[in-house]
Amino acid sequence: MQNLSKLADRDLVAAYANDNNDAFDVLLERHQQKVYSYIFHIVKNKDIADDIFQETFVKAIMTIKQGRYTEHGKFSGWLTRIAHNLIIDFFRQEKIENAVSADDETSDVLNRRDLCEGNIEDAIVSTQIDEDLRRIVMALPDPQREVLVMRFYRNMSFKEIAEATSVSINTALGRMRYAIINMRRIGPPLRSLLNRKLSENRITLTLSQARIMKPLFRYLCLPLAIVALLASSQKSLAAENQQSGTQPQSDEVSKDKVNLVPKIHGTVRARWEMDTKGGENRFAVRNARVSISGEIAQPIDYYIQTDFCDQGKMKILDAWGRVSFTKRLRLQGGQFRLPFGTDCFRGPGTYFFSNHSFIGGIMNNVRGVGAKLSYTFPTSGSSLLSLEAGAFNPTSMADHNVWVKEMAFAGKALWTIGEVKIAAGAETLIPDSVRINSLTGSVTWTHGGLTLEGEYLNKHYTNKAHKAAHGYNVFADYGFPVKAGIFNRASVQARFDGMTAYSSGNRNDEGKLFTDYAARNRVTVGGTLSYIYKFVRCDLRLSYEKYFYHHDAVVPVGDGDKVCAELVVKF
C-alpha cells in the first residue's frame, strides 16, 4: 500500500484493472473527500449524498473492470463527471424543476454556517446582509451558480470544471463571465451596504490579500468572498483566458436579458395492449404531445400544449400566460389543469405506469378555462409551503363561448418537508346542472430511487343527486441504474387503486345523474427500462393490470384484465 500511494492515478487504474484491489483503495482514499464534498454541496442531504457517492464509485469500478475506462483528462475529473450525471438523474427522478427560487431556503448552496467562523462573521455582517448575499447567488441561473461554486469554493480550474460538467472550456468561461455580470447587476446596493459595515468594523481586504487567502470562504464565508470575487473577477478571467488561449463565448444569456426563442418539448407514447380474458388486442398512439414555452420578459412567461394524437383525436390541452408580480406571487390565466389533486398532474412523459390511476385518469382529469393565483410562503430549513387557487368556467374546456352565472373553483396546498410532500385540495364543479364538491389529500415520500405515494379523493353530489364517490390510490416505484445496452436505468412498480360508483355529473334523458363508471379495484405490477440523457428520455414499459368488479357488473373490452407494452419517447 505504501508503494502504491506514490503512483499516479493512471498507474493505479491500470493496476486495479489487473486485479490489484489495493490500488483502488488508494484511489478511493485519494479522491473520496473531494467527490463527496461536491455531491453534498449540491444535494444538501447526507443520506442522498451517501447513496450517490457509493453509486459513483460502483460505476467507476464497473467501468474499469470491464476495460471501458479511457484516459481523457484527470481521473478526479472523470469521477466528478460521473457524480454530476448521477446528481442530474436524481433530480430528474425527483421531478424537481431545475429553476430554483432565490427565496427557497432549501437551495442554500454556498452560505452555510458550518463553513464559517461564526464569531468573525457575526462581527462583520448582520443577518440581513448575509440573507441578501445568499439571494444574489441563488438568483443566478443553475449553470452559472454551479461554475461559481466550483471555481471559487472548490478552487477548481476551468479545465477541471469543463471536464466535470461535460462542456467546453469556452462554455465554462462564458458561464463564469455571465455569473460575474449578473452578480454585479444584482448586488450594487448590497455591496455598498457591506462596504459600510466593513468600514464600521475597520476591516479592509485588498485584492492581493484576497488572492493570498486561499481558505477565504472557510474563514470569512460568503459576504467577504463576494466582495473579493467581484473585485477580482475580470482580472482572474482574463488571466485564465490568456493561459488557456481561449475566449469566453456567449452561450449563457444574462439574467437581465430575455431569451425570446421558444422551447419545444414533446412526448410520443405508442402502445400495444391485450384484454387477457377475451384475447382482443390493439396498437394505439396514446399520446403525441408537443409543448411550446418561453418568456417575453423576465416576469412574463407562456405555455401551449397540444396532443396531436390522443387515441386518434387532436386536443388543445393547455394555453396560458403568467405574470410574476414577485418571486412568490404569480397570476396565471388561460386554459390549464385545475389546481387540485396529485396523480393527475403527471404527464405521459412522467408516468410510473402505463395507465393513470382511477383518480388521475377518470375522477379528477379536469382542465378548465380561468385564472389562478399562486403564492409560495417563506420557510426555513428543508420545508416549503405553496398555495394556489382559481376560478374557472364550469363548462367543458372545449366550449369557451359561454356565459354563466356560477363559476367552478379549485385550490391546492402543497407542503414539502425534506423527502415528504403533503398535498390537500378542494374543488367545486358544475359539469351539467348539479354542483359536485370534492376534497383530496396525498402523501408522497421519495428516498433515493424509492417513491411511495398514497392519495384519496371524495366527491359529494349536492341535493343527493348521486351517491358520494370515493377514489384511492397507493403505489410504490423503485428505480436503479443498470447497464443493459443503451438503457441506463431500470425500475419496478406496484399499485393498488380503486373507486366506488362514479358519475361525471352529466344527466340522462330523464334529467338525472347516471353512473358512468362502475365500482372497481385494480392491482398493477410492471417494470420499465429507461434511457436517460440530459433532457431526453426513452422508456420501454411492460405492465399487467388485474381488475376486480362486483359480480353483476358489465365489463366492456379494455376495462378488464390486460397486458400493456409501451414505448415512450420524450424530448
Side-chain angles (χ1 to χ4, degrees):
M1 178 74 72
Q2 183 66 27
N3 293 333
L4 289 173
S5 63
K6 297 179 181 180
L7 295 179
D9 287 348
R10 62 177 178 274
D11 299 324
L12 291 170
V13 171
Y16 180 62
N18 292 323
D19 297 327
N20 187 338
N21 293 331
D22 290 338
F24 191 82
D25 292 339
V26 176
L27 288 170
L28 177 63
E29 182 178 355
R30 185 177 293 176
H31 298 291
Q32 61 181 350
Q33 184 59 43
K34 182 177 181 180
V35 174
Y36 184 84
S37 176
Y38 171 76
I39 298 170
F40 183 81
H41 281 291
I42 295 178
V43 302
K44 302 177 290 299
N45 181 288
K46 185 179 183 302
D47 292 336
I48 296 173
D50 290 342
D51 291 342
I52 296 178
F53 174 80
Q54 181 177 355
E55 193 173 338
T56 298
F57 278 91
V58 168
K59 280 184 173 290
I61 289 172
M62 293 176 60
T63 302
I64 295 173
K65 283 296 187 181
Q66 293 172 2
R68 294 185 291 109
Y69 174 77
T70 55
E71 185 176 354
H72 294 290
K74 293 183 178 180
F75 180 76
S76 60
W78 179 67
L79 283 176
T80 305
R81 190 159 59 250
I82 294 176
H84 179 80
N85 292 335
L86 290 173
I87 291 170
I88 292 176
D89 290 344
F90 166 75
F91 282 116
R92 185 181 290 114
Q93 294 165 15
E94 292 288 292
K95 311 296 187 302
I96 296 178
E97 296 181 356
N98 289 331
V100 180
S101 168
D103 299 318
D104 184 356
E105 294 287 346
T106 66
S107 303
D108 194 351
V109 175
L110 292 177
N111 192 16
R112 298 176 54 85
R113 303 271 317 170
D114 59 348
L115 300 180
C116 311
E117 290 291 338
N119 294 334
I120 297 177
E121 181 186 5
D122 293 339
I124 297 175
V125 293
S126 66
T127 303
Q128 182 60 48
I129 297 176
D130 186 60
E131 170 68 13
D132 289 340
L133 287 168
R134 184 187 66 81
R135 290 173 182 239
I136 292 178
V137 176
M138 296 312 303
L140 295 173
D142 287 347
Q144 296 175 16
R145 184 170 64 248
E146 183 181 43
V147 171
L148 186 142
V149 172
M150 292 180 177
R151 181 73 178 100
F152 288 93
Y153 176 73
R154 302 187 63 242
N155 201 30
M156 294 173 63
S157 69
F158 282 105
K159 182 178 180 181
E160 292 174 323
I161 294 172
E163 293 176 353
T165 56
S166 300
V167 299
S168 66
I169 295 179
N170 283 341
T171 299
L173 289 168
R175 290 177 177 177
M176 189 66 212
R177 176 171 175 263
Y178 280 111
I180 299 303
I181 291 174
N182 288 330
M183 292 177 70
R184 286 182 178 276
R185 289 175 174 172
I186 298 170
L190 299 177
R191 292 201 304 275
S192 176
L193 184 58
L194 180 58
N195 288 334
R196 185 167 67 252
K197 286 289 183 180
L198 292 173
S199 177
E200 291 172 357
N201 288 276
R202 298 181 180 178
I203 296 176
T204 59
L205 182 67
T206 65
L207 177 59
S208 59
Q209 289 171 333
R211 287 175 173 171
I212 294 173
M213 293 172 65
K214 183 177 180 180
L216 184 62
F217 271 86
R218 184 171 299 279
Y219 291 105
L220 295 181
C221 201
L222 183 60
L224 289 182
I226 287 187
V227 173
L229 175 64
L230 293 173
S232 63
S233 58
Q234 297 300 329
K235 292 184 178 180
S236 297
L237 286 174
E240 192 85 31
N241 293 341
Q242 185 175 3
Q243 292 176 3
S244 62
T246 60
Q247 294 296 324
Q249 296 179 350
S250 302
D251 73 313
E252 296 293 330
V253 179
S254 173
K255 189 72 175 180
D256 286 349
K257 296 181 180 179
V258 175
N259 186 354
L260 298 177
V261 178
K263 299 177 182 178
I264 300 176
H265 298 281
T267 302
V268 177
R269 190 160 65 113
R271 68 162 52 172
W272 171 83
E273 53 190 341
M274 181 180 70
D275 189 304
T276 58
K277 287 190 175 181
E280 297 89 344
N281 66 97
R282 67 178 181 181
F283 286 96
V285 176
R286 185 59 184 85
N287 300 103
R289 294 191 182 184
V290 175
S291 66
I292 301 174
S293 62
E295 57 182 3
I296 63 172
Q298 284 191 30
I300 305 173
D301 61 332
Y302 61 88
Y303 182 82
I304 301 171
Q305 181 179 213
T306 298
D307 200 326
F308 288 95
C309 190
D310 184 347
Q311 293 181 318
K313 299 178 181 179
M314 181 174 174
K315 296 180 180 179
I316 298 177
L317 301 175
D318 301 282
W320 53 259
R322 182 171 58 187
V323 177
S324 299
F325 299 111
T326 69
K327 290 181 179 180
R328 301 186 187 278
L329 180 63
R330 294 179 173 182
L331 172 65
Q332 181 174 317
Q335 178 174 296
F336 49 91
R337 189 174 293 280
L338 272 62
F340 180 76
T342 299
D343 191 53
C344 62
F345 279 91
R346 293 188 173 100
T350 56
Y351 285 171
F352 289 101
F353 300 88
S354 296
N355 292 306
H356 254 321
S357 66
F358 295 135
I359 290 180
I362 296 177
M363 303 181 71
N364 191 34
N365 189 13
V366 182
R367 281 180 166 87
V369 182
K372 73 173 182 179
L373 280 172
S374 60
Y375 185 78
T376 302
F377 289 87
T379 56
S380 59
S382 60
S383 64
L384 178 67
L385 176 62
S386 61
L387 296 178
E388 51 183 343
F392 304 84
N393 290 345
T395 55
S396 167
M397 68 178 187
D399 184 8
H400 295 203
N401 186 24
V402 60
W403 296 90
V404 296
K405 292 185 177 180
E406 294 185 279
M407 287 287 177
F409 303 94
K412 179 180 179 180
L414 177 61
W415 188 17
T416 303
I417 314 169
E419 298 175 331
V420 178
K421 294 182 179 180
I422 303 173
E427 177 187 74
T428 176
L429 305 174
I430 313 177
D432 190 344
S433 61
V434 175
R435 184 171 286 276
I436 306 174
N437 300 318
S438 305
L439 295 173
T440 186
S442 70
V443 177
T444 307
W445 178 60
T446 304
H447 180 75
L450 177 64
T451 299
L452 300 176
E453 183 173 288
E455 183 176 8
Y456 170 75
L457 172 65
N458 173 270
K459 282 186 173 288
H460 171 75
Y461 302 84
T462 58
N463 300 320
K464 298 182 180 180
H466 190 276
K467 188 176 180 180
H470 306 269
Y472 36 90
N473 175 40
V474 179
F475 78 84
D477 174 87
Y478 181 69
F480 48 92
V482 297
K483 184 63 178 178
I486 193 174
F487 297 100
N488 53 22
R489 185 180 187 272
S491 59
V492 291
Q493 303 86 28
R495 175 179 66 188
F496 172 75
D497 68 325
M499 65 180 184
T500 60
Y502 168 70
S503 172
S504 60
N506 297 314
R507 293 176 293 175
N508 58 20
D509 295 337
E510 298 176 358
K512 297 180 180 180
L513 298 190
F514 63 94
T515 298
D516 300 88
Y517 298 91
R520 66 193 72 181
N521 291 314
R522 175 175 59 183
V523 174
T524 308
V525 293
T528 305
L529 273 177
S530 303
Y531 166 73
I532 302 173
Y533 178 72
K534 294 185 177 180
F535 300 107
V536 298
R537 178 174 183 144
C538 177
D539 292 328
L540 283 180
R541 181 177 293 121
L542 180 65
S543 62
Y544 172 71
E545 299 178 355
K546 175 66 178 178
Y547 287 74
F548 302 90
Y549 288 90
H550 293 301
H551 68 279
D552 57 347
V554 177
V555 182
V557 175
D559 283 355
D561 301 350
K562 60 179 166 236
V563 174
C564 185
E566 281 193 333
L567 170 62
V568 184
V569 177
K570 181 181 179 182
F571 58 91

